[in-house]
Amino acid sequence: TAPSFHCSGQVQRGQISTRPVKKMEQQDVFYNKQDFIETQSGNKVSRLSVLCGSQNIILQGKTVIQAQCIIRGDLANIRIGRQCVISRRSVLRPPAKQFPNRTPSFSFLPMTIGDFVTVDEDCVISAASIGSYVHIGKNCIIGRRCVLKDCCRIADNTILPPDTTVPPFACYGGAPGVLQSELPECTKDIHKELAKGFYTHFKPAV
């Protein structure tokens, strides 16, 4: 399980939290080395995950894809940045868009994910783009063509409607997802530390 912190309910909507953020000690997570493929650039991909159209999936390095994930590169290109975590049973599916005056009238758009992005367990992601230093909580649905800017957070169990744009330093939560609070300026450092720390503590069992 990827590390997480909770921002929902930190402050009144529209206000910025000034509370000090505690540094969280991450625990080692051990995995069976035979269950993962490790690439030259340090990516660790579970053999129990499903990567459709792998030739269209680009992992920039030191990214972890855990068991039972599904990545639909057969629909459109998917680019995932450095040191990202895609947790168990999560699905990355490029968004679809209709073009009424064009043939064909229906196509899938590429999906881009920045650096130091953590996607927790049981999420379904159909965003057009996700910036860097983003944390998506457990059991979230990110609707078609959503745009998540840098340094934002999606709280657990959130459903974002299609075409939602989440601005930087915003925490969205609820169903449908709305602004819950604004995040502190140190969010970039927090999300970077979480993603890097997970990779550092994700170790093969001896």
Side-chain angles (χ1 to χ4, degrees):
T1 302
S4 63
F5 76 98
H6 300 281
C7 64
S8 181
Q10 280 185 337
V11 292
Q12 295 294 324
R13 186 179 302 178
Q15 294 182 348
I16 299 175
S17 174
T18 57
R19 298 177 187 175
V21 178
K22 295 181 179 180
K23 185 175 181 179
M24 290 167 288
E25 294 296 331
Q26 297 186 28
Q27 302 296 318
D28 288 343
V29 177
F30 295 100
Y31 65 92
N32 188 335
K33 197 169 184 178
Q34 295 180 343
D35 292 340
F36 279 79
I37 299 169
E38 185 166 358
T39 69
Q40 289 184 342
S41 56
N43 299 305
K44 298 180 180 182
V45 181
S46 171
R47 295 183 186 273
L48 299 178
S49 61
V50 178
L51 274 62
C52 305
S54 57
Q55 71 276 10
N56 298 324
I57 300 170
I58 299 175
L59 307 179
Q60 297 288 357
K62 293 188 176 182
T63 283
V64 177
I65 309 292
Q66 293 189 315
Q68 298 176 278
C69 291
I70 300 175
I71 301 181
R72 295 296 306 274
D74 58 322
L75 300 177
N77 292 338
I78 298 177
R79 180 183 294 271
I80 301 176
R82 292 182 57 80
Q83 297 211 232
C84 295
V85 181
I86 311 299
S87 300
R88 292 174 180 271
R89 299 180 299 277
S90 287
V91 178
L92 302 183
R93 187 177 188 272
K97 187 173 183 178
Q98 288 187 325
F99 300 92
N101 299 320
R102 199 177 80 179
T103 303
S105 61
F106 180 90
S107 65
F108 289 92
L109 305 176
M111 175 186 292
T112 59
I113 297 175
D115 301 329
F116 306 105
V117 173
T118 300
V119 177
D120 283 348
E121 297 173 350
D122 300 301
C123 292
V124 178
I125 312 292
S126 294
S129 68
I130 297 174
S132 298
Y133 317 105
V134 173
H135 190 170
I136 298 174
K138 296 179 182 179
N139 196 37
C140 289
I141 298 176
I142 308 300
R144 297 184 303 275
R145 302 177 302 277
C146 286
V147 175
L148 279 58
K149 300 292 189 178
D150 294 347
C151 302
C152 68
R153 167 146 167 67
I154 309 300
D156 294 352
N157 305 308
T158 297
I159 299 177
L160 283 186
D163 299 302
T164 300
T165 297
V166 178
F169 299 102
C171 177
Y172 270 52
V178 295
L179 178 65
Q180 299 289 327
S181 62
E182 295 183 23
L183 302 176
E185 293 182 3
C186 59
T187 297
K188 174 180 176 179
D189 296 329
I190 295 171
H191 288 179
K192 183 176 181 178
E193 183 178 326
L194 286 172
K196 288 183 69 174
F198 181 84
Y199 187 87
T200 300
H201 289 278
F202 193 65
K203 300 177 178 179
V206 177

